[in-house]
Amino acid sequence: MLIKIRFGELILAMSKEINLELLEKYIVGEITKEEVLSVNNEPLDPMELSKFIEDYLDVQSHLEAEGLKAELKEKHRDLVGRGSLSFSRIIAVAASVILIGVVSFFLIQRDSSGPKFDNYFDHFDQLITFRNLGETDFSKALEAYSDREYKEAYDLFDKSNDVNLNEALKFYFAMSALGSEKFEEAVNLFLSIGTDPSNEYYQQTRWYLGLAYWQKGDITLARESLLLIEEGDFEYKNAQKLLSAIND
């Protein structure tokens, strides 16, 4: 009950600053972020909007969790309240107790563990043909990357020691660093490519650079990179989700 009161107060406070109906429509993808307005019908700063989304989703997940636990406990009470128990009913009661405990454990874990890198990092298909490069370290590196052998790919790229890599090869060098969790190296490589639209992989670079900054612990820079991702761009929805999940 106290949890519901606390989150009710948070929602009430939010309702005095932001149009919650518009916020809900944005979260489910019915409108764009530009259409989400304050209660005074003024546009919101992107950082401010991200905080509102984070708070709203937090309230929603907690209330859903409380509802699920309450339902399980009610079923448990119903089983126990049926008088003398047969062996099968004793097993059912024991199972309901275990289920409540397991659900509670995972709900606590979900609330406390935060976002995971593996939930956001996904292999980007290699688009350039490594066969045209002949039997070089580059062709072997791209082949290893294509097989998701990121550490091997990174070592082969690094072994080449070529300062004149083109943007495409630099991008996959950076992706190999990110996939093998060499986040400092990934940041430096992505920055050497840049996030300007003149870069063929600029949309992907904005997303993966944000992930690399996040894993390095540079949350402010991660937010800056993720906020460059516009609706319709590569991984826009995941960028909004991650922005809502990470905290300064």
Side-chain angles (χ1 to χ4, degrees), residues 88-128:
S88 62
R89 194 165 294 166
I90 290 172
I91 294 298
V93 170
S96 73
V97 171
I98 293 170
L99 183 57
I100 290 170
V102 169
V103 169
S104 297
F105 171 77
F106 280 109
L107 289 172
I108 291 170
Q109 287 295 100
R110 181 182 67 180
D111 290 340
S112 61
S113 60
K116 295 288 192 298
F117 176 66
D118 289 345
N119 293 337
Y120 289 92
F121 175 75
D122 196 14
H123 180 82
F124 183 74
D125 287 337
Q126 171 254 322
L127 299 178
I128 56 178

Side-chain angles (χ1 to χ4, degrees), residues 28-48:
V28 299
E30 292 181 3
I31 62 175
T32 65
K33 61 184 177 182
E34 288 78 16
E35 294 176 90
V36 183
L37 305 174
S38 71
V39 290
N40 297 320
N41 292 323
E42 296 176 350
L44 295 166
D45 177 85
M47 296 288 285
E48 189 179 18

Side-chain angles (χ1 to χ4, degrees), residues 10-226:
L10 179 56
I11 287 291
L12 180 61
M14 289 173 62
S15 69
K16 295 177 181 178
E17 300 182 60
I18 186 172
N19 186 318
L20 289 177
E21 183 179 354
L22 294 178
L23 179 63
E24 290 171 352
K25 287 184 177 181
Y26 172 66
I27 288 172
V28 299
E30 292 181 3
I31 62 175
T32 65
K33 61 184 177 182
E34 288 78 16
E35 294 176 90
V36 183
L37 305 174
S38 71
V39 290
N40 297 320
N41 292 323
E42 296 176 350
L44 295 166
D45 177 85
M47 296 288 285
E48 189 179 18
L49 177 58
S50 294
K51 185 66 172 66
F52 280 128
I53 293 172
E54 179 183 345
D55 288 343
Y56 183 88
L57 293 177
D58 187 43
V59 170
Q60 187 179 57
S61 64
H62 276 82
L63 293 181
E64 287 174 354
E66 286 301 308
L68 177 57
K69 286 192 286 185
E71 183 178 344
L72 286 170
K73 288 178 180 178
E74 181 61 34
K75 291 184 181 299
H76 170 68
R77 282 194 295 269
D78 180 56
L79 282 169
V80 173
R82 292 182 185 177
S84 59
L85 299 179
S86 64
F87 179 74
S88 62
R89 194 165 294 166
I90 290 172
I91 294 298
V93 170
S96 73
V97 171
I98 293 170
L99 183 57
I100 290 170
V102 169
V103 169
S104 297
F105 171 77
F106 280 109
L107 289 172
I108 291 170
Q109 287 295 100
R110 181 182 67 180
D111 290 340
S112 61
S113 60
K116 295 288 192 298
F117 176 66
D118 289 345
N119 293 337
Y120 289 92
F121 175 75
D122 196 14
H123 180 82
F124 183 74
D125 287 337
Q126 171 254 322
L127 299 178
I128 56 178
T129 305
F130 51 82
R131 295 181 183 84
N132 294 338
L133 298 173
E135 285 298 317
T136 65
D137 287 332
F138 296 144
S139 66
K140 294 176 183 176
L142 288 171
E143 188 170 6
Y145 173 83
S146 182
D147 292 335
R148 292 170 168 74
E149 297 292 342
Y150 300 120
K151 186 179 184 307
E152 180 184 350
Y154 177 85
D155 290 341
L156 286 166
F157 274 120
D158 194 44
K159 179 183 173 184
S160 71
N161 198 28
D162 191 339
V163 296
N164 297 313
L165 289 177
N166 61 37
E167 284 186 353
L169 289 173
K170 275 186 182 180
F171 175 77
Y172 290 108
F173 190 3
M175 287 296 296
S176 300
L178 186 60
S180 52
E181 300 187 3
K182 298 179 182 291
F183 303 119
E184 181 76 39
E185 292 85 346
V187 164
N188 292 334
L189 285 163
F190 282 127
L191 287 176
S192 72
I193 304 170
T195 57
D196 186 87
S198 60
N199 162 23
E200 180 182 358
Y201 299 95
Y202 80 94
Q203 290 189 21
Q204 290 78 13
T205 298
R206 289 174 176 178
W207 167 244
Y208 290 116
L209 177 60
L211 293 187
Y213 274 136
W214 168 43
Q215 288 302 293
K216 271 190 70 209
D218 294 333
I219 304 302
T220 300
L221 292 176
R223 284 184 178 275
E224 288 179 4
S225 186
L226 295 172

